[in-house]
Amino acid sequence: MAPPKPVRNPAPRHGGIAARLLAWYDGHHRDLPWRVPPRDLARGVQPDPYRVWLSEVMLQQTTVEAVKAYFSAFVEKWPTVTALAAASNDDVMKAWAGLGYYSRARNLKACADRVTAAGGIFPDSEDSLRALPGIGSYTAAAIAAIAFDRPAAVVDGNVERVMTRLFSIATPLPQAKAEVRAVVERLVPQERPGDFAQATMDLGATICTPRRPRCMLCPVREECSALANGDPEFYPVRPAKPEKPLRRGAAFVAVRSDGAVLLRKRPDKGLLGGMSEVPTTGWTARADGATDASAAPFAADWRKAGTIGHVFTHFALELVVFRTETDGPAPAGHFWSGPSGISGEALPTVMKKAIEAAIPDATKAKRVKKA
């Protein structure tokens, strides 16, 4: 792609950008279950670092809409970091099931344990936050700014899009990350840095969108060099994505006469670590597994129930699903999950798809009929 024409407005007014964004945020912020809105902050309501941390971990690689229900369920079950630390690993993994990127759940529990051991109080500096399990540079900056009002540079995908457009940063991502961060560091105001971080993220999520940005509604359109140049959608510049490799394997759904399903737990480390699954062949991100019934966990009349697909971050997976009925004992390392409990197991989405192919609606929560 050819670089854009030279911009007519190459030097936005830094102070004006922060002031305009904060004024816009006061009237147009998103109402989110983990957020303290500006009007409440002005009345002295302080953000809860636990809720800020929990939401930021959940929002890594996941959309706001997908996170809302999980966040509400977590804080209802575990309203404080000490309550989360007291939970079992299995219960946390079950509550996380379906949210993806399961190492986050393991780190979430480890971080809760660490904070609780230190008195149940989150540290308020970026350096101290980065020392906690599962907290990287972005998450540390977000917690420091939003929970503790520290002047930290918070840069997520929305912020990258806003800044590359404001300043016509044509360096492709991810190489442009350092350049974007330097720009944000210059913009962060000493007053209300947490609101500034959230304002910039909200602007990217609602106005400065990847496609068809609503530039005429943007509070900083007068400072935007990409708009002045007439091509906001050119930014951010990204290299072409390589095609994801396709891996194949088989999944085996054994059903007992009472409706129970045979499951096992994956190793704690690695892909889908600590989650529950139906038995499968040995596929990985780098290798295929067997795709026929010869690799089933025990000899039985295995019948093909269908084929499912799932896309992970670095590869796509196709599983041939087999089903059988048996009332035999669970093989070593496996367990039976009854029909009323299967929806509450720590099943990743790919395993839910496999079970659904063999037993439609099996993983959906059953409604209890009122007398």
Side-chain angles (χ1 to χ4, degrees):
M1 181 182 295
K5 298 177 182 179
V7 298
R8 297 193 298 270
N9 183 20
R13 298 184 297 277
H14 293 184
I17 289 175
R20 287 172 182 261
L21 277 173
L22 287 169
W24 172 81
Y25 180 72
D26 287 342
H28 298 87
H29 60 271
R30 290 178 292 177
D31 290 323
L32 301 174
W34 48 83
R35 174 178 286 176
V36 177
R39 60 182 178 276
D40 291 343
L41 284 172
R43 292 201 296 263
V45 178
Q46 296 300 309
D48 181 352
Y50 169 67
R51 294 170 71 92
V52 175
W53 161 73
L54 179 61
S55 66
E56 288 298 336
V57 173
M58 288 185 167
L59 287 165
Q60 295 169 8
Q61 307 292 327
T62 309
T63 65
V64 166
E65 289 306 313
V67 165
K68 286 180 179 178
Y70 281 90
F71 176 85
S72 297
F74 259 75
V75 295
E76 181 178 355
K77 188 185 295 276
W78 303 298
T80 64
V81 68
T82 54
L84 181 58
S88 69
N89 287 324
D90 284 346
D91 283 346
V92 173
M93 297 304 287
K94 288 178 181 180
W96 193 275
L99 197 53
Y101 299 92
Y102 295 98
S103 62
R104 293 181 298 168
R106 297 193 296 274
N107 284 328
L108 191 81
K109 180 63 167 63
C111 184
D113 292 345
R114 182 86 64 84
V115 172
T116 297
I121 299 174
F122 280 88
D124 61 2
S125 72
E126 289 183 75
D127 289 343
S128 297
L129 287 163
R130 276 196 298 269
L132 295 172
I135 297 184
S137 295
Y138 162 76
T139 306
I143 297 171
I146 298 169
F148 300 107
D149 219 26
R150 303 295 187 216
V154 182
V155 182
D156 70 351
N158 285 315
V159 176
E160 287 175 345
R161 186 165 57 256
V162 169
M163 295 303 160
T164 55
R165 288 173 176 175
L166 272 173
F167 293 87
S168 291
I169 298 173
T171 305
L173 289 170
Q175 289 84 358
K177 286 183 178 292
E179 194 173 348
V180 171
R181 181 177 178 82
V183 167
V184 176
E185 287 175 344
R186 294 198 300 270
L187 290 176
V188 175
Q190 291 299 309
E191 294 185 7
R192 301 180 65 191
D195 280 351
F196 172 79
Q198 293 176 106
T200 312
M201 290 188 281
D202 278 13
L203 186 74
T206 62
I207 300 294
C208 196
T209 51
R211 298 286 178 266
R212 298 181 181 178
R214 298 188 293 168
C215 297
M216 292 303 100
L217 299 178
C218 179
V220 291
R221 61 185 178 276
E222 294 180 6
E223 288 87 359
C224 183
S225 58
L227 179 60
N229 194 48
D231 195 10
E233 289 189 48
F234 177 86
Y235 305 95
V237 179
R238 298 182 185 276
K241 290 184 179 180
E243 186 174 347
K244 292 183 179 181
L246 175 63
R247 301 301 179 209
R248 293 181 172 87
F252 303 96
V253 181
V255 186
R256 210 164 56 185
S257 58
D258 64 355
V261 176
L262 186 69
L263 300 176
R264 66 187 183 189
K265 184 179 177 181
R266 291 180 64 88
D268 286 336
K269 294 184 178 180
L271 183 67
L272 308 179
M275 303 298 288
S276 297
E277 67 173 359
V278 295
T280 73
T281 55
W283 55 269
T284 69
R286 297 178 176 83
D288 293 334
T291 57
D292 56 32
S294 65
F298 55 84
D301 180 21
W302 293 98
R303 299 178 302 280
K304 185 176 178 180
T307 301
I308 63 101
H310 189 75
V311 178
F312 292 96
T313 304
H314 301 298
F315 71 103
L317 176 66
E318 183 179 274
L319 292 178
V320 181
V321 181
F322 294 90
R323 169 181 169 149
T324 194
E325 289 77 34
T326 179
D327 282 322
H334 297 67
F335 63 94
W336 290 104
S337 180
S340 63
I342 191 71
S343 64
E345 296 289 353
L347 291 165
T349 300
V350 63
M351 294 305 157
K352 290 181 179 180
K353 290 180 180 179
I355 294 172
E356 290 288 330
I359 318 170
D361 297 330
T363 65
K364 297 179 181 177
K366 306 296 188 295
R367 293 184 178 180
V368 179
K369 293 183 179 180
K370 296 181 179 181

